[in-house]
Amino acid sequence: QFALTQPASVSGSLGQSITISCTKTSNDVGSYDRVSWYQQHPGKAPQLMIYEGDQRPSGVSNRFSGSKSDNTASLTISGLQAEDEADYYCCSYGSSSTFWVLGGGTKLTVL
Amino acid sequence: EVQLVESGGGLVQPGGSLRLSCAASGFTFNRYAMNWVRQAPGKGLEWLSYISSTNDIYYVDSVKGRFTISRDNAKSSVYLQMNSLREDDTAVYYCARDDKWAFDVWGQGTRVTVSS
């Protein structure tokens, strides 16, 4: 079993870029794959922003991009806009016993 | 329009039971796996359970033995039977479609409050 660790908060100014990390913490060196990212505004249901590490669903702005290196996946938002202020969660396939693992979430503040 | 609508939430006493429903529309339900995810007040998202299109089932450890996921393809619905409810089960419960290894469609959520 493993956990996904995200920073509790990040901030950036309008027009800037930010990156949110999601680190797999485990002694298990098994694969870290099938990473997805979700945006959640207060009182709303989450929305899929990135799947399979770096794929954007139709309708999601190309300002959102995903990447992965070793045990850390990242979500980058470029050209920050006020409406990007939200909570962001990463998610990864877990194992045959616990199918999905969600990160603790990161609150993005746009200054 | 692809849509998921949860229902069945409410106030229940500790030790009680609730059955949540999630009605799907706008897509071929029997081709997709489905999940339940919850969010306690002021907390993050927590994945609870998964059911594949062929009824393979998984749970997070904290609900194993208490919660049961099921689906009825004829009714395009997925269910979560919750027994032995505890105060820390208080949360908004979401159902989510599973596609391309992600939760690509979410319902609006149904609120469950466990309190005496």
Side-chain angles (χ1 to χ4, degrees):
Chain A
Q1 186 57 287
F2 63 87
L4 297 177
T5 299
Q6 300 180 232
S9 63
V10 299
S11 63
S13 300
L14 286 168
Q16 287 188 333
S17 295
I18 63 94
T19 297
I20 299 172
S21 61
C22 174
T23 301
K24 177 183 176 184
T25 56
S26 170
N27 292 327
D28 173 12
V29 295
S31 65
Y32 176 26
D33 58 7
R34 296 160 180 166
V35 176
S36 54
W37 289 91
Y38 303 86
Q39 177 192 66
Q40 187 183 33
H41 290 108
K44 302 295 186 181
Q47 176 188 352
L48 176 65
M49 306 304 285
I50 296 288
Y51 67 96
E52 291 181 359
D54 60 3
Q55 300 298 301
R56 264 189 319 274
S58 173
V60 172
S61 169
N62 60 9
R63 299 186 298 106
F64 291 82
S65 62
S67 62
K68 190 175 79 68
S69 177
D70 294 328
N71 275 6
T72 298
S74 299
L75 174 71
T76 298
I77 309 173
S78 59
L80 274 176
Q81 300 180 2
E83 58 262 35
D84 299 333
E85 186 162 293
D87 294 325
Y88 291 85
Y89 296 88
C90 62
C91 182
S92 173
Y93 172 73
S95 68
S96 58
S97 60
T98 300
F99 205 76
W100 291 115
V101 179
L102 278 155
T106 298
K107 181 176 180 60
L108 169 63
T109 300
V110 180
L111 304 171
Chain B
E1 179 192 4
V2 174
Q3 196 172 11
L4 298 172
V5 179
E6 301 95 337
S7 60
L11 174 64
V12 62
Q13 292 187 338
S17 298
L18 274 179
R19 187 194 194 211
L20 305 184
S21 300
C22 170
S25 60
F27 63 97
T28 306
F29 180 76
N30 61 14
R31 294 182 182 175
Y32 291 88
M34 298 294 295
N35 295 271
W36 286 96
V37 177
R38 71 182 176 186
Q39 187 168 37
K43 302 296 184 182
L45 302 173
E46 179 185 26
W47 171 81
L48 297 178
S49 186
Y50 164 99
I51 184 167
S52 74
S53 59
T54 55
N55 284 325
D56 295 318
I57 288 172
Y58 301 90
Y59 300 98
V60 70
D61 285 348
S62 61
V63 307
K64 283 180 183 175
R66 299 190 302 125
F67 291 10
T68 303
I69 192 172
S70 62
R71 65 189 296 158
D72 184 337
N73 290 335
K75 294 183 178 179
S76 296
S77 293
V78 61
Y79 306 98
L80 189 67
Q81 177 67 44
M82 305 187 296
N83 298 329
S84 303
L85 283 163
R86 312 186 298 225
E87 291 191 352
D88 62 358
D89 293 317
T90 294
V92 175
Y93 285 72
Y94 297 99
C95 64
R97 191 177 78 171
D98 199 303
D99 189 33
K100 296 185 178 67
W101 297 99
F103 309 142
D104 71 324
V105 180
W106 294 70
Q108 85 289 351
T110 186
R111 188 173 302 274
V112 172
T113 302
V114 184
S115 175
S116 55

